[in-house]
Amino acid sequence: MGKQRREDGCLELEKKYPPKVKAMYEAVLSLFSSGRELSTLKVSEITAKAGIGKGTAYEYFSTKEEMIVGAIQYEAERHISIIFEFIQNGQSFQEIIFQGLDMLEENHERYGGFVMLEKIIRDSTMTGSGLLDELERRKEDCGSAKRLTEKLFRLAADKGLIKEGDAFQVWSAILSQFAVYAFYLTHQELTAGIGRGEVRQLVYKNIIKLLN
């Protein structure tokens, strides 16, 4: 049953994105994982990696920045769909939080996730400005994240773990502590002697405190 639900989630994501768009997103993510800098990334490199013509990219996207932010959103939605499946499979709130931290670690190792976000914020070039503009334009397009927050809230509330009833507060508490863990992964030289297991437990406890 769990495998079937995961396949269903993947199929839903497949249906949302046309094959060529998905190929370009996967190409962007692959280039990220190889260490390419955002400011020097070219559309021609992305389309070559995706195995499609450069002109095809502009049938779906107006700018390189739109393509990059779309790839980031695509990757986020992939993770969200997996967490939905964890909830459907009956896993506990704590197990889901820890598996979310596992995904964050995987993202950090593959893309330098938090580092990449820092680069976008600090990039004063036209690319950096364009990425921030595109992120701002898409900030309302987060329906799946909102639905996930509501499900996580109900899961934790039904078990008597939290009292907070506002979905935004739930999302803010979880996101703030995931940012703490991302900072830990990125700057471990500042937290020498503190193990990952200890930090993960602290993150979970802080989420529970914030929501009570």
Side-chain angles (χ1 to χ4, degrees):
M1 180 65 73
K3 181 180 179 182
Q4 182 61 48
R5 282 172 176 162
R6 174 160 294 194
E7 289 174 351
D8 290 344
C10 291
L11 284 173
E12 287 179 9
L13 209 56
E14 291 284 344
K15 291 176 183 177
K16 181 173 181 178
Y17 297 102
K20 291 180 180 179
V21 170
K22 182 176 178 292
M24 283 184 279
Y25 286 164
E26 294 284 1
V28 170
L29 294 170
S30 177
L31 288 164
F32 281 167
S33 66
S34 71
R36 281 305 314 275
E37 290 292 330
L38 293 171
S39 58
T40 60
L41 191 60
K42 297 178 180 179
V43 172
S44 58
E45 293 178 276
I46 297 170
T47 53
K49 188 77 174 176
I52 61 176
K54 185 176 178 180
T56 303
Y58 292 106
E59 294 177 13
Y60 298 95
F61 304 99
S62 300
T63 64
K64 177 182 71 174
E65 290 72 29
E66 185 180 341
M67 194 183 303
I68 292 173
V69 172
I72 294 171
Q73 183 177 3
Y74 166 79
E75 181 73 346
E77 288 183 356
R78 185 177 72 82
H79 288 306
I80 287 171
S81 69
I82 292 172
I83 295 175
F84 270 124
E85 290 159 13
F86 290 151
I87 295 172
Q88 291 171 343
N89 288 338
Q91 296 194 17
S92 71
F93 183 69
Q94 183 177 28
E95 287 173 332
I96 291 168
I97 293 297
F98 283 171
Q99 284 169 329
L101 295 176
D102 288 342
M103 290 181 194
L104 191 61
E105 287 189 20
E106 177 191 345
N107 186 276
H108 171 72
E109 292 171 3
R110 189 175 178 189
Y111 308 120
F114 194 61
V115 174
M116 183 167 64
L117 181 59
E118 288 181 325
K119 286 180 179 179
I120 292 174
I121 294 171
R122 292 177 181 175
D123 190 346
S124 59
T125 66
M126 186 177 295
T127 295
S129 177
L131 288 171
L132 288 175
D133 288 344
E134 184 61 25
L135 284 167
E136 177 68 18
R137 189 179 71 79
R138 291 179 181 239
K139 70 179 182 180
E140 297 301 326
D141 186 18
C142 55
S144 57
K146 290 178 180 177
R147 290 193 299 275
L148 177 61
T149 301
E150 291 167 358
K151 281 185 174 291
L152 284 173
F153 159 70
R154 287 197 294 270
L155 175 64
D158 289 347
K159 298 296 183 181
L161 293 172
I162 66 173
K163 297 176 183 177
E164 178 58 60
D166 182 79
F168 177 76
Q169 296 292 344
V170 175
W171 180 243
S172 297
I174 295 173
L175 190 61
S176 69
Q177 294 309 300
F178 270 55
V180 167
Y181 194 66
F183 182 85
Y184 165 77
L185 293 174
T186 307
H187 302 288
Q188 292 190 48
E189 71 281 0
L190 302 177
T191 54
I194 304 177
R196 289 195 182 189
E198 185 179 350
V199 178
R200 289 162 71 95
Q201 288 291 340
L202 179 64
V203 164
Y204 177 72
K205 289 178 181 178
N206 284 343
I207 290 172
I208 296 299
K209 286 179 182 178
L210 287 169
L211 296 177
N212 280 286

